[in-house]
Amino acid sequence: MKVLAVGDVVGEAGIDTLHGLLRRVKREHGADFVIVNGENAAGRGIMPKQADDIFSAGADIITLGNHAFSKQQIAPYLDEHPDVLRPANLAPQSPGRGWGVFDGPQGLRLLVMNLIGRCDMHYGPDNPFLCADKILREAAGQYDIALAEIHANATSEKLAMGYYLDGRAAAVWGTHTHVQTADNRVNPKGAGYITDIGMTGPVVSVLGVCVEQSVAMFRGDLTEYFKTAPGDCALSGAVFTIGRDGRCASVARVWERWAVR
Amino acid sequence: MKVLAVGDVVGEAGIDTLHGLLRRVKREHGADFVIVNGENAAGRGIMPKQADDIFSAGADIITLGNHAFSKQQIAPYLDEHPDVLRPANLAPQSPGRGWGVFDGPQGLRLLVMNLIGRCDMHYGPDNPFLCADKILREAAGQYDIALAEIHANATSEKLAMGYYLDGRAAAVWGTHTHVQTADNRVNPKGAGYITDIGMTGPVVSVLGVCVEQSVAMFRGDLTEYFKTAPGDCALSGAVFTIGRDGRCASVARVWERWAVR
Amino acid sequence: MKVLAVGDVVGEAGIDTLHGLLRRVKREHGADFVIVNGENAAGRGIMPKQADDIFSAGADIITLGNHAFSKQQIAPYLDEHPDVLRPANLAPQSPGRGWGVFDGPQGLRLLVMNLIGRCDMHYGPDNPFLCADKILREAAGQYDIALAEIHANATSEKLAMGYYLDGRAAAVWGTHTHVQTADNRVNPKGAGYITDIGMTGPVVSVLGVCVEQSVAMFRGDLTEYFKTAPGDCALSGAVFTIGRDGRCASVARVWERWAVR
Amino acid sequence: MKVLAVGDVVGEAGIDTLHGLLRRVKREHGADFVIVNGENAAGRGIMPKQADDIFSAGADIITLGNHAFSKQQIAPYLDEHPDVLRPANLAPQSPGRGWGVFDGPQGLRLLVMNLIGRCDMHYGPDNPFLCADKILREAAGQYDIALAEIHANATSEKLAMGYYLDGRAAAVWGTHTHVQTADNRVNPKGAGYITDIGMTGPVVSVLGVCVEQSVAMFRGDLTEYFKTAPGDCALSGAVFTIGRDGRCASVARVWERWAVR
Ligand SMILES: [Fe+2]
Ligand SMILES: [Fe+2]
Ligand SMILES: [Fe+2]
Ligand SMILES: [Fe+2]
Ligand SMILES: [Fe+2]
Ligand SMILES: [Fe+2]
Ligand SMILES: [Fe+2]
Ligand SMILES: [Fe+2]
C-alpha cells in the first residue's frame, strides 16, 4: 500500500495546484490513499468550499492544524464530515474529530490521526504523546495500519513523536513549518518518518506569504499582513510504501512545480 | 569557488565524525572553504579544546549560535580567534566578533557573518535583518563575496533572510533545527539558499539527544536531560558553488554516515 | 474561617523569614489555616529538608508550581505527604497529588487545589480550567469549602480562573510572578481573589535573585545566574475571611518585613 | 513636583472614565504633570480621535506599548505630535518618537521615555536596557528630571529596569499587565517604582475584555474575541512625589471607581 501525504495547501493558488497535479502525482507514484493538510486553504483556516475543493481534487482525508478553527464557519462541516480531521488533542469539547478508521486499499482498515505539537506553538492543546496512546488504545482491534500526522513547529517534538510511535504506526509525518525536510527514512521499528512534508503553494514566498510583507515584518517596518505570494507553485509531500505487516519499506519525497496560468 | 557549510557538531561523537569525514567530503565535493557550526560541540556550548579539535579536522571558520556562551570559558578564546564567530547581533558588549573578512580561494576576500534569529527563540539579540545591513555597510569595499549563516528556529525568519540578502550575499544557510531541509536552491537574484543544513552527530536521536530522554520530557515524565545519543553519526551540510560574480550556481546537500567505532 | 496563603518562599532567607514571622502573622490576623507556596525553597525547586522546615514554621499545606520537580529528590516525599501539593494539571503520571481534602477549622472539610497556568509559561501541563472542573466533580460531596491556587504568569489567565471558579470556590489566589498585586477583592459570586500574593524572600532583589545578575542578564552581559539576593526579607501573602456558606467576606493583603540577622 | 501616571486606557469606557475622573484625581493628589498610557484606547491600538480625547481629558503626554501600531492610522499623527510617545526601542525606522524633553512644573525640564520589554512578549524591539542608556546619553544636559515607563510583561524585566535606572531616573513605572501591583516604593538610590500601575477600564473583566470570552478562550472553546466588558470602570495609576534633586519621596497608588451611566 502507498500512502501519499500532501503538505499544507495555501490559498486558492495551492488549491489550483492540487487540482493541476494531485491525480498525476498519485498515478506516477502509485499511491492508493491521499491525505492532504488543508489548514491554510483559506489562508488562515479553511471553509466548507475549500474543503469540498480539496476532496474534488482527489484527497481521501483532509487534516488540519493550529489554524483548524481560524475560520469558525468550518465547525459544523467537521461534525458532518468524519473524513476531515482536526488535531485530536485540542480541547475535548472541540467540534469535529481528531482521528478515524477509514477503508483503505486491499481491504485494509486505516487509522488516521491528526496530532498537534505545543513546543514553540500555542500552549492550548493537550499532550499529543499521551493523546496518541489513548487513541491507539481506543481504536485497538478496529484497524490494521496506523498513520499519524504531527502538525508541529519544533523538530524535537516531531522527531520524538516519530520514535514514540515507531512500532505502533506505519507512517509519521510532520507538517506546519511549510518547508520540506530531507530526513525521510524508516525508523528502527518500521515507521516511515519525515520531519516535515512541506507546503503546497507559491514557491517564491515565505510560507506562502508575499516575500516583501514578511521581510518588512521582520525588519520591524509597518506592513499589512498576509497576502499570498504570486508566481509558480509546488505540490509538496511524501509517499510511504507500507507492507501488510504495518512496516514501512520506504519514504519518498514529492515536490512538483506547477506553472500558474 | 565551493564553500562547504557543516551543521551543528554535537558532542564528542560529532567531533569524531568530523575528523573521520570532513577531509574526504571536502575532497569529493571540491570544496575550497569550510565553515562549521560548533555551538553544540560541548553539548550546550563549546570550549577551547573542542574549537581546536574542529579546526584540526579541517574547518576554516567556526560559527556559533544560541549556545555561544553556554560555556563561558570560551569567551577569551573568541577574543583571540577572529575565525570563530558568535552571532553578530548579540548585545554589542559581547565577547568576540560576529563577522570577519577572510582570505578565501582564488584570492577572493570572503565576508562571513553569523546571524541569529529571534522568532520562537530567545528575545535577547538585536534585529538580525538590520544587523546584516549594518555589517554589509561597514564591510563595504573590503570583501568580494558575502556568506551568511542564519541560526534560527522559524522557517519564516530564515526564508525571509534568504530573500533579504538575495543579491547581496552569495550564500545564506540556516542552522539550529538540527534537521536538514530539502529546499536547497538558488534564490532569484543569485543567493544560494537552504533553510537548514542539519546537524553533525548521532543519527538515531532527537537533535543529538538520547531518544528515551526526549520522549520522556515530551510525555511529562521526570527525566534527566541531555545525554548525547549513542550509535552511528552523520555529517550534514551543504556545498555552495559560487562564481567570481558573487552568484551561486548551485547548492548541493551533503549527508554522510559515519560508523562510530 | 480565615485562610492565610503565603507566596513563594525563596531560599534559606525565605525559610528564615517564615520561621521569624509566620506564627505572629497568623496570630495577628486570626488565621486558622495556612497554605505556603514552597516551589523556590531550594531556589529552583524544593527538597525534603526545606519542606520539613516549612511545615515546622507553621504551614498546614505546601503548594508548588513550575519548579515542583526542579529538584527531583522531592518526588518520593510527595508520594508520602498528601499535604504537599504539586500542580494538579501536570501530566497524570507525575508523582504526588494536585489536590486534597483536609480537616480545617470548625470541622470544615477544605478542598485545596494547586493549578498551574500555561500562558507565557511552559506548554506542558493540561488545561487548568478543565482540570479544575474535573477536581470539583471528583471531590463533590467530600468537602465544604474549596480553595484554589493558580500558579501562573499571565494576569489574564489568573483573572479568568478567578471568575471561572467564582461561585464554586471560596478563594482563588495567584502565585509565580513574585510581585504582590493590589487587586485583592471579592468576585461577584463570592470568591475571594487576588492576582498574585507575592513572594517571601529578599526585598531588594529581582524575584529573589541578586539585582546585579538579573540586570546583567537583561543587558545581554555574560553572567552567572541565580544567586539569592542578600538583605532584608518580607513575608508576602493574603488572608481570606470565609463564611460557613463558602462565600468570602474580605481579602486582606499581608506584607511584613523581616530584618535578617 | 507630582507626576501622575495613568495605566492603559481601554476602549470608549476607559476614555469616558478618564473624562469623568482625571481632573478630580489630579486635583486631589496635587499632580502637576500627567502621563497616560493609551495603547488600548481603540481596543488594540489607538487612533487620532482617541488620542485627541485623552489629551482633552487632561493628559500632558500619551505613551503607548505593544499595540502602538495595531491601528496604523496613528502613524502620521505620531510624527506630528511629539507628546505622544511610542516605545523608544522599536525598530529605529518606526514612525514617531520614543522619548522627549517636555516643559514640566516649576520650570523643570522633564525627560520622558517609553520603553518596552521583550521577555514573554514580542521579540522584535531592541534591548530596552541599552536603549535607556542611549537616551540618557543623548539627552544629557537637556533635562532636569527623568521619568521612564516600562511596558512589559515579566515582573523580572520591570523590576530589573527599576533598579537599572535607580539613581538616573526619578520614577520608573510598569504598564501592560493591566493589574496594579502593590509594590509601590522608592528604590535605594531614589527612583520611585511600581511594577504595574494597572489599567483604566471595566472592573469586572479580564484586562478589559468580557469575562465570558476570556474564559471560553482559556477553556479551549470556540469564541469570538475581544469585546470590551460592560459595567463600572476604574481609573488606575500612581502618583510620584519628586524633589528638585531628582529623588522620589514617595509613590502612592491611585484606583478610583467610575460608575458608567
Ligand atoms: Fe500550522
Ligand atoms: Fe500551515
Ligand atoms: Fe542552536
Ligand atoms: Fe544547535
Ligand atoms: Fe513559579
Ligand atoms: Fe516562584
Ligand atoms: Fe500592552
Ligand atoms: Fe495594554
Side-chain angles (χ1 to χ4, degrees), chain D residues 8 37 39-40 64-67 116 121 151-152 175-178:
Chain D
D8 307 36
N37 186 297
E39 72 147 6
N40 302 113
L64 298 170
N66 51 313
H67 287 304
I116 192 164
M121 299 184 77
H151 190 82
T175 51
H176 178 71
T177 71
H178 289 208

Side-chain angles (χ1 to χ4, degrees), chain C:
Chain C
M1 180 190 60
K2 290 192 174 197
V3 173
L4 169 62
V6 175
D8 309 34
V9 175
V10 179
E12 286 306 311
I15 293 175
D16 286 357
T17 305
L18 215 58
H19 276 268
L21 289 178
L22 183 56
R23 285 179 212 282
R24 172 152 68 79
V25 165
K26 197 177 161 182
R27 200 167 53 239
E28 284 176 8
H29 285 272
D32 307 295
F33 198 78
V34 178
I35 301 169
V36 176
N37 185 298
E39 71 148 5
N40 301 114
R44 297 183 165 207
I46 186 170
M47 290 186 289
K49 189 193 170 318
Q50 285 103 22
D52 287 343
D53 282 355
I54 292 175
F55 280 126
S56 78
D60 294 298
I61 303 288
I62 296 175
T63 53
L64 299 170
N66 52 312
H67 287 303
F69 297 112
S70 296
K71 303 273 185 290
Q72 299 191 8
Q73 307 93 300
I74 199 65
Y77 188 94
L78 292 198
D79 284 330
E80 294 155 20
H81 289 79
D83 44 4
V84 183
L85 301 176
R86 46 80 179 163
N89 52 324
L90 296 185
Q93 72 273 26
S94 301
R97 301 161 193 80
W99 61 275
V101 178
F102 305 95
D103 293 330
Q106 308 161 21
L108 290 165
R109 299 164 302 167
L110 304 183
L111 167 61
V112 183
M113 59 178 111
N114 187 192
L115 300 164
I116 192 164
R118 303 181 297 175
C119 182
D120 297 327
M121 298 184 78
H122 191 253
Y123 57 82
D126 292 332
N127 188 308
F129 291 77
L130 302 182
C131 180
D133 287 347
K134 201 173 140 217
I135 293 171
L136 290 170
R137 221 160 33 228
E138 278 183 47
Q142 304 169 36
Y143 68 93
D144 302 302
I145 304 270
L147 308 169
E149 177 175 333
I150 169 72
H151 191 82
N153 196 353
T155 48
S156 55
E157 196 167 12
K158 297 198 242 186
L159 286 160
M161 186 61 85
Y163 291 115
Y164 193 57
L165 296 181
D166 192 20
R168 300 193 281 168
V172 179
W173 64 95
T175 52
H176 178 70
T177 71
H178 289 209
V179 173
Q180 194 180 64
T181 56
D183 63 342
N184 48 307
R185 63 176 186 235
V186 178
N187 275 345
K189 296 177 193 157
Y193 175 79
I194 179 170
T195 294
D196 210 289
I197 57 173
M199 84 174 189
T200 297
V203 173
V204 176
S205 74
V206 176
L207 318 185
V209 169
C210 189
V211 167
E212 288 68 30
Q213 287 186 342
S214 178
V215 161
M217 190 205 64
F218 280 114
R219 279 177 44 92
D221 297 333
L222 299 190
T223 176
E224 294 166 82
Y225 211 40
F226 289 159
K227 213 170 59 178
T228 301
D232 280 8
C233 287
L235 181 155
S236 192
V239 174
F240 300 87
T241 303
I242 298 169
R244 292 194 70 88
D245 59 353
R247 291 183 79 94
C248 187
S250 67
V251 185
R253 278 183 281 112
V254 173
W255 194 91
E256 293 288 334
R257 183 178 278 266
W258 174 252
V260 167
R261 270 83 30 116

Side-chain angles (χ1 to χ4, degrees), chain A residues 8 37 39-40 64-68 116 121 151-153 175-178:
Chain A
D8 308 35
N37 185 298
E39 71 147 6
N40 302 114
L64 299 171
N66 51 312
H67 287 302
I116 192 164
M121 298 184 80
H151 190 82
N153 196 355
T175 51
H176 178 70
T177 72
H178 289 208

Side-chain angles (χ1 to χ4, degrees), chain D residues 189-247:
Chain D
K189 296 178 193 156
Y193 175 79
I194 179 169
T195 294
D196 209 290
I197 57 173
M199 84 174 188
T200 297
V203 173
V204 176
S205 74
V206 176
L207 317 186
V209 169
C210 189
V211 167
E212 288 69 28
Q213 287 187 343
S214 178
V215 161
M217 191 204 66
F218 280 114
R219 276 177 46 92
D221 298 333
L222 299 190
T223 176
E224 293 165 82
Y225 211 40
F226 288 159
K227 212 170 60 178
T228 301
D232 280 8
C233 288
L235 182 154
S236 191
V239 174
F240 300 87
T241 302
I242 298 168
R244 292 196 69 90
D245 60 352
R247 291 183 78 95

Side-chain angles (χ1 to χ4, degrees), chain A residues 69 72 75 91 93 95 123 218-223, chain D residues 69 72 75 91 93 95 123 218-223:
Chain A
F69 297 112
Q72 299 192 7
Q93 71 273 27
Y123 57 82
F218 280 114
R219 278 177 43 91
D221 297 333
L222 298 191
T223 176
Chain D
F69 297 112
Q72 299 193 8
Q93 72 273 26
Y123 58 81
F218 280 114
R219 276 177 46 92
D221 298 333
L222 299 190
T223 176

